[in-house]
Amino acid sequence: MVDKHIPDDTLLYLDSVNVSFDGFKALNDLSLLVRKGELRAMIGPNGAGKSTMMDVITGKTRPDNGRVLYRQSTQAEASTDLTTYDEAAVANMGIGRKFQKPSVIESLTVWENLEIALVGRRSPFASLFHQLDDAGEVKIADTLMLIHLADRRDDLGENLSHGQKQWLEIGMLLLQEPELLLVDEPAAGMTDEETFRTADLLKDIARERSVVVVEHDMEFIRALDCRVTVLHEGHVLAEGSLDHVQQDQRVIDVYLGR
Ligand SMILES: Nc1ncnc2c1ncn2[C@@H]1O[C@H](COP(=O)(O)OP(=O)(O)OP(=O)(O)O)[C@@H](O)[C@H]1O
Ligand SMILES: [Mg+2]
């Protein structure tokens, strides 16, 4: 499918997406465009539809109507409508999702967790007996550096702080080399220092991939220093720099001023 209306460097384009639950419109004619290599922050009040938007992109929730066009770099001009695929298929197309609760395996070391992510999540048992090649070792070592856990590589997952577990989970997702990473409320429960480190980490990641991050922590959003979309009642209320949206009276009324 070729769509002539969207810019060439578009990675993801939500086109008038609607989702309703028992008559309640969680997403209401939502349109949104994410470019290749872009870091995008999404904010908005509780229930605005931010997580539902991620559910739709990742194939967890099927919208009533609308399209989610995804243009993978390997597919040149063609885009795929993600709404016709299930979660596993969407993940295989290069879309990684970080949920709020980390799924790190507590009884394995940091290194082993990363090894499982690299070799294959579906069969952790088999992957522990898989011999990593040199390229695999280098990938894991590079990831450890990126997520600031190089000196914790032999520690068990259960001995990491909350923030470190979140970073490990992000590292595990990166080893699957997503083109788009979706991150829902990564800073929740983090210390201030961990929060700023997480912002730096996502900025690093967005140099090679697109990242969409949902957060309520405005200090964190400011540290991301990127384009911000404000969602309200399942629709885009405002979009632009953080300074721009913070001065928008409608945004103040429904979110920031409360
Ligand atoms: N599976 C579901 N079944 C029924 N209602 C749902 C379902 N998922 C979400 N909703 C409703 O849709 C609306 C949007 O929820 P969503 O979780 O997307 O909001 P959010 O913007 O992520 O909010 P928060 O900031 O609190 O995480 C809410 O009213 C929620 O109760
Ligand atoms: Mg949410």
Side-chain angles (χ1 to χ4, degrees), residues 45-52 54 97 100 184-185 214 216:
N46 298 114
K50 304 180 296 296
S51 298
T52 302
M54 290 191 172
R97 180 178 190 177
Q100 198 171 326
D184 204 350
E185 302 198 28
V214 166
H216 288 288

Side-chain angles (χ1 to χ4, degrees), residues 192-203:
D192 286 352
E193 200 207 328
E194 287 175 337
T195 297
F196 286 113
R197 276 199 168 203
T198 304
D200 281 344
L201 172 59
L202 294 176
K203 283 164 79 174

Side-chain angles (χ1 to χ4, degrees), residues 3-257:
D3 204 303
K4 300 214 182 314
H5 309 294
I6 59 178
D8 283 347
D9 64 347
T10 301
L11 180 69
L12 187 77
Y13 176 49
L14 275 71
D15 181 15
S16 303
V17 172
N18 287 283
V19 171
S20 44
F21 297 112
D22 300 324
F24 172 78
K25 291 209 117 202
L27 296 184
N28 187 1
D29 218 14
L30 176 63
S31 292
L32 182 81
L33 193 148
V34 179
R35 292 173 179 244
K36 290 197 168 124
E38 180 175 3
L39 173 59
R40 173 73 62 88
M42 308 273 313
I43 61 174
N46 298 114
K50 304 180 296 296
S51 298
T52 302
M53 174 201 72
M54 290 191 172
D55 291 343
V56 168
I57 296 169
T58 54
K60 188 175 178 205
T61 296
R62 203 169 289 272
D64 304 335
N65 50 54
R67 300 182 300 170
V68 179
L69 299 182
Y70 175 57
R71 198 185 269 167
Q72 255 177 301
S73 54
T74 51
Q75 300 290 309
E77 287 302 295
S79 37
T80 308
D81 186 353
L82 297 178
T83 63
T84 60
Y85 292 87
D86 66 14
E87 280 184 275
V90 171
N92 281 331
M93 282 187 260
I95 297 183
R97 180 178 190 177
K98 159 97 184 64
F99 288 92
Q100 198 171 326
K101 193 171 176 296
S103 65
V104 165
I105 301 174
E106 305 248 321
S107 57
L108 295 181
T109 66
V110 168
W111 181 278
E112 287 166 342
N113 270 284
L114 291 169
E115 203 170 331
I116 283 174
L118 182 65
V119 176
R121 239 174 219 269
R122 295 210 190 90
S123 175
F125 186 73
S127 52
L128 279 182
F129 293 97
H130 174 98
Q131 194 61 45
L132 262 194
D133 59 12
D134 289 350
E137 300 248 352
V138 169
K139 269 188 188 170
I140 294 181
D142 287 350
T143 303
L144 277 171
M145 295 287 284
L146 181 72
I147 61 176
H148 300 289
L149 290 179
D151 58 344
R152 307 294 305 269
R153 56 170 278 173
D154 297 320
D155 289 353
L156 294 180
E158 65 190 6
N159 293 329
L160 299 179
S161 72
H162 170 72
Q164 288 169 330
K165 282 182 194 169
Q166 303 280 355
W167 300 334
L168 176 54
E169 171 120 350
I170 289 171
M172 291 165 73
L173 285 167
L174 288 177
L175 285 168
Q176 293 163 35
E177 304 200 12
E179 267 187 74
L180 173 64
L181 189 63
L182 305 172
V183 193
D184 204 350
E185 302 198 28
M190 283 191 180
T191 64
D192 286 352
E193 200 207 328
E194 287 175 337
T195 297
F196 286 113
R197 276 199 168 203
T198 304
D200 281 344
L201 172 59
L202 294 176
K203 283 164 79 174
D204 280 347
I205 293 169
R207 285 193 269 146
E208 288 182 30
R209 306 162 201 284
S210 300
V211 179
V212 174
V213 52
V214 166
E215 215 3 290
H216 288 288
D217 183 330
M218 284 301 138
E219 295 289 315
F220 173 81
I221 298 286
R222 181 159 297 284
L224 289 177
D225 188 25
C226 68
R227 191 172 180 83
V228 177
T229 300
V230 185
L231 221 61
H232 175 57
E233 294 177 347
H235 196 80
V236 174
L237 181 67
E239 197 169 277
S241 67
L242 181 58
D243 285 335
H244 172 79
V245 301
Q246 277 184 325
Q247 285 160 22
D248 187 316
Q249 191 57 45
R250 295 166 309 162
V251 177
I252 295 167
D253 289 346
V254 304
Y255 186 50
L256 297 173

